[in-house]
């Protein structure tokens, strides 16, 4: 709710798209909780609707298996934990962009990727690589670069300018002080810190060590399914890109969520473009990968107190 209050109108230069769209309603209602709650539920509901449509319209049992497996993993639990967070918004935009590519509306897809960067700058390392992989699969290298370039340019501009105008954080803090929900000082504090200052408050090495086993499992599993070749470079790069978020922040569980999500998206897209079904040995490989991924510790916040979502471990770890 705090980050959904951030808008370009109030001087914020990052993560501002959703907050800017909600700004008139937020100001009119005095930053009423219900405005942001409804927006969050609309985002989650839209994402689940798209997943349901993709499942029922798919002619491939293997693609359906990928969707079901992703939802059954601890990653699926994390999806509902995030309810409307910007991660869900940028992936919803990605799914729209992939639909646009398939319908030969490439410019629309490129525009949606620009919107994803304006929503959240981590789109550069999450949804944009998947979009680039899908574009290169369908179009020439030159045209694909032209489709990706606007979002890359927008992202570089956002990263180059200050994340907020002087006084913007204090002004919004005073406005949220009268809201009927408890806003988070630490969320707004992100806009007052440089990237170098953020690196001082967490260990990049620790985050990388958390992500490395996940990356090895998903990349290794995909290469067994795909068979290592030059053609595997692009999909592997697209699914591994979220691991670089370790250099951007300390939210290791979210980066793991995005890493596995990119794996599922790339695999889903690859199965569709190749128009193939997985054989029994390949289903066995995928099942082994998924079984390993059930052991990922996925801390989430319940009243600001972290608990683990996992399919293994003692009962208290899964909230039973």
């Amino acid at each position: 709710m705090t980050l959904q209050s951030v808008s370009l109108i109030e001087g914020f230069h990052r993560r501002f798209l959703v907050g800017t769209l909600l700004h008139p309603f937020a100001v009119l209602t005095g930053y009423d909780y219900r405005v942001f709650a409804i927006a969050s539920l609309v985002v989650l509901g839209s994402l689940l609707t798209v997943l349901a449509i993709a499942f029922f319209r798919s002619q491939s049992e293997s693609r359906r298996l990928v969707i079901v497996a992703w939802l059954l993993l601890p990653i699926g639990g994390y999806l509902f934990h995030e309810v409307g967070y910007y991660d869900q918004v940028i992936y919803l935009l990605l799914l729209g962009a992939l639909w646009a590519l398939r319908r030969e509306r490439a410019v629309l897809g490129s525009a949606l990727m620009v919107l994803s960067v304006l929503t959240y700058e981590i789109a550069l390392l999450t949804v944009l690589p998947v979009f680039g992989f899908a574009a290169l699969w369908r179009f020439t290298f030159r045209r694909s670069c032209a489709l990706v370039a606007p979002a890359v340019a927008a992202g570089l501009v956002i990263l180059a300018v200050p994340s907020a105008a002087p006084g913007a954080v204090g002004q919004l803090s005073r406005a949220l002080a009268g809201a009927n929900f408890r806003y988070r000082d630490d969320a707004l504090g992100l806009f007052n810190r440089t990237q170098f200052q953020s690196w001082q408050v967490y260990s990049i090495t620790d985050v990388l060590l958390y992500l490395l086993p996940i990356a090895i499992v998903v990349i290794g599993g995909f290469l067994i399914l795909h068979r290592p070749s030059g053609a595997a470079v692009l999909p592997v790069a697209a699914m591994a890109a979220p691991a670089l978020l370790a250099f951007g922040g300390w939210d290791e569980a979210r980066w793991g969520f995005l890493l596995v999500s990119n794996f599922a998206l790339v695999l889903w897209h690859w199965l569709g473009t190749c128009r193939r079904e997985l054989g029994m040995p390949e289903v066995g490989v995928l099942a082994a990968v998924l079984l390993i991924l059930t052991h990922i510790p996925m801390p989430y916040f319940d009243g600001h107190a972290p608990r683990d979502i996992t399919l293994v471990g003692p009962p208290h770890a899964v909230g039973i």
Side-chain angles (χ1 to χ4, degrees):
M1 306 303 173
T2 304
L3 289 177
Q4 286 177 340
S5 305
V6 170
S7 72
L8 187 63
I9 299 170
E10 292 173 315
F12 291 87
H13 306 143
R14 295 182 189 174
R15 312 180 196 185
F16 59 78
L17 181 62
V18 172
T20 302
L21 294 175
L22 293 178
H23 185 262
F25 306 100
V27 172
L28 183 64
T29 61
Y31 294 90
D32 191 285
Y33 174 86
R34 289 169 293 185
V35 171
F36 306 108
I38 291 171
S40 297
L41 291 172
V42 167
V43 170
L44 177 60
S46 299
L47 190 55
L48 292 174
T49 299
V50 171
L51 288 175
I53 292 173
F55 178 86
F56 288 110
R57 287 190 176 180
S58 177
Q59 302 300 314
S60 167
E61 294 300 327
S62 297
R63 296 182 96 191
R64 291 182 175 183
L65 173 62
V66 171
I67 295 174
V68 171
W70 182 82
L71 286 170
L72 288 177
L73 288 173
I75 302 302
Y78 208 84
L79 169 72
F80 291 92
H81 162 57
E82 287 205 320
V83 186
Y85 193 61
Y86 290 165
D87 297 344
Q88 296 185 356
V89 177
I90 62 177
Y91 276 91
L92 189 58
L93 290 169
L94 170 64
L95 293 173
L98 294 178
W99 173 85
L101 289 182
R102 188 164 57 88
R103 294 302 181 106
E104 301 298 332
R105 299 177 182 178
V107 175
L108 173 61
S110 181
L112 291 174
M113 286 297 94
V114 173
L115 293 181
S116 73
V117 175
L118 302 183
T119 300
Y120 200 173
E121 62 274 12
I122 68 167
L124 292 169
L125 293 174
T126 52
V127 297
L128 192 57
V130 177
F131 177 78
F133 156 66
L136 282 167
W137 197 284
R138 181 175 291 269
F139 304 116
T140 64
F141 177 78
R142 183 175 180 179
R143 188 178 183 191
S144 298
C145 289
L147 293 173
V148 172
V152 172
L156 292 177
V157 170
I158 286 175
L159 293 175
V161 302
S163 56
V169 171
Q171 181 178 348
L172 182 57
S173 297
R174 289 189 292 273
L176 292 178
N180 59 349
F181 66 91
R182 185 175 53 148
Y183 78 96
R184 292 184 58 176
D185 287 321
D186 57 333
L188 293 182
L190 294 171
F191 295 91
N192 277 333
R193 282 200 299 265
T194 65
Q195 187 60 55
F196 179 78
Q197 290 171 329
S198 293
W199 286 336
Q200 307 307 305
V201 299
Y202 79 102
S203 169
I204 297 175
T205 302
D206 288 347
V207 178
L208 283 173
L209 289 175
Y210 171 84
L211 295 175
L212 183 60
I214 303 174
I216 291 174
V217 170
V218 297
I219 293 173
F222 182 81
L223 288 177
I224 293 174
L225 295 173
H226 187 282
R227 295 178 183 175
S229 66
V233 173
L234 289 175
V236 166
M239 70 174 61
L244 296 176
L245 291 171
F247 297 94
W250 54 82
D251 291 344
E252 59 183 28
R254 284 183 51 230
W255 307 155
F257 165 71
L258 299 175
L259 184 58
V260 178
S261 296
N262 267 29
F263 162 69
L265 269 169
V266 169
L267 181 59
W268 184 83
H269 189 270
W270 173 67
L271 290 171
T273 52
C274 292
R275 298 183 183 278
R276 57 169 299 188
E277 293 285 354
L278 296 175
M280 286 306 298
E282 294 171 316
V283 171
V285 170
L286 181 58
V289 169
L290 297 173
L291 182 61
I292 296 171
L293 291 178
T294 61
H295 290 65
I296 302 173
M298 295 292 299
Y300 74 108
F301 283 87
D302 182 9
H304 294 188
R307 292 194 300 170
D308 283 343
I309 304 176
T310 179
L311 298 186
V312 296
H316 69 271
V318 293
I320 295 177

